[in-house]
Amino acid sequence: MSAYDAIARLYDAWSASVVEDISFYVEEALAAVAGGGVSQADTARPGSRTTGAPGGVVVELGVGTGRIAIPTALAGAHVIGVDSSAAMLEVCARHARAAGIGDRLDLRLGDLRRPPVDERVLLVTCPFRAYLHLRDDEERLEALRAARELLRPGGRLIFDVFAPSREDVEETHGRWLEREPGIFERADWDLDEQTLTLSVRGPQGESRMTLWWLEPERWHALLVEAGFAVEGCYGWFDRRPYDGGEDTVWVARRG
Ligand SMILES: C[S@@+](CC[C@H](N)C(=O)[O-])C[C@H]1O[C@@H](n2cnc3c(N)ncnc32)[C@H](O)[C@@H]1O
C-alpha cells in the first residue's frame, strides 16, 4: 500500500500549479526519441504496448497520474511509466484514454528500485522529487543503479530534487496551509534527520508521507558511485546553472 493510493483522486488538484517542469521533460523526451529512443526490438517484453513503437520510448519512474507522461505522449513519444501506487496508475490510465494516447503509455506497477522494465532506452526520468521517497543511501544507490541498468550506453537519467532553505522551513513548519483551493498541506521538517513529513488533506482524500532530502554534493557523489557521469546540475527547469537554491535538476549520463 502506497501513501499515494489515498490521494490519487486529489493529486492532480494538489499539484495543479506545478507546471514549470513539463516543457523541460517533454523536450528532453523528444530529443531522446529523435536520437533513437529504444530499440525495443530485442528486449521488449511480450505484450508490451511499446513494442514496435515508431516514435521511440522513454521510461518515467514514479509516473504518478501522468502529469508529465501525458504531455510527453501527446508530443509523440512512447512512455513506459512505473509507479508503486496502483491508484495513481489507474488515474493515469484514465487520463491517457481520455487524451486518446492510451497506446503510447505503458503503465507498470512496481518499485523504482527494481523497475519491471526489460527495455533499454536513451532516457530515464524521475520527475517532481520522487527520489526523495528513498530513505537512505542504500535505497538511493539501488534506485540509481537500477535506472542506469535501463539505459543504453550514452543514455541519460534526468531527475529533480530539492533541499529546503531555512526560510522555507521557518515559513511553513507545522502549519496547515491552503495550497490549492480546498486542499491543505502541512510540512513538518526535521533538520537533524533531514526529513519532511508532508500531510495533505482535501475533499477527495488525505495522506501523510515522508521525504528525505540531501545536499546537492551528496546527490552528485551518489550519481558518481552509481556509475554515472554528471553532465549537468541545473538550478531550475529553464536550465540555469545551479547557484545555491532549493531545487536541483540533474542530468547524468551512463558512460
Ligand atoms: C511527487 S509524485 C510525482 C508523480 C509524477 N512524476 C509527477 O511529476 O507528477 C511521486 C510519485 O512517485 C511514486 N513513488 C514513490 N516511491 C516510489 C517507489 N519506491 N517506486 C515507484 N514509485 C514510487 C508515488 O506513488 C508517486 O506517484
Side-chain angles (χ1 to χ4, degrees), residues 111-149:
D111 196 300
L112 56 77
R113 289 168 293 165
R114 293 173 291 279
V117 178
D118 299 324
E119 292 85 343
R120 296 295 175 262
V121 298
L122 283 175
L123 178 67
V124 173
T125 63
C126 188
F128 201 17
R129 306 166 169 183
Y131 276 154
L132 295 190
H133 291 296
L134 303 168
R135 61 176 63 231
D136 56 28
D137 281 358
E138 194 179 328
E139 290 197 358
R140 291 176 197 117
L141 277 171
E142 191 182 4
L144 293 175
R145 287 183 174 130
R148 187 176 176 280
E149 276 302 301

Side-chain angles (χ1 to χ4, degrees), residues 148-224:
R148 187 176 176 280
E149 276 302 301
L150 303 183
L151 289 168
R152 290 158 63 188
R156 298 191 304 166
L157 168 66
I158 304 186
F159 65 97
D160 61 278
V161 286
F162 83 102
S165 66
R166 195 152 280 273
E167 298 79 61
D168 192 7
V169 172
E170 280 164 11
E171 265 169 39
T172 60
H173 181 68
R175 300 171 56 210
W176 281 101
L177 299 170
E178 191 169 19
R179 166 86 180 251
E180 298 292 342
I183 302 181
F184 293 83
E185 182 183 287
R186 173 180 162 145
D188 290 281
W189 305 92
D190 184 328
L191 295 178
D192 295 327
E193 296 295 322
Q194 301 203 163
T195 61
L196 161 61
T197 304
L198 194 58
S199 309
V200 57
R201 64 174 191 227
Q204 293 129 312
E206 60 180 89
S207 192
R208 177 181 298 177
M209 58 189 73
T210 305
L211 291 90
W212 287 260
W213 77 83
L214 287 186
E215 295 75 16
E217 302 72 42
R218 286 188 58 202
W219 278 110
H220 190 287
L222 286 167
L223 281 164
V224 171

Side-chain angles (χ1 to χ4, degrees), residues 163 215-217 232-236 239-250:
E215 295 75 16
E217 302 72 42
C233 175
Y234 301 127
W236 195 238
R239 301 170 198 274
R240 73 184 73 155
Y242 175 66
D243 190 21
E246 291 192 307
D247 295 278
T248 45
V249 184
W250 294 90

Side-chain angles (χ1 to χ4, degrees), residues 4 11 60 62-64 67 83-85 88 110-112 128 130 133:
Y4 281 85
Y11 181 84
E60 182 179 335
V63 69
R67 194 180 60 83
D83 206 284
S84 54
S85 164
M88 294 287 275
D111 196 300
L112 56 77
F128 201 17
H133 291 296

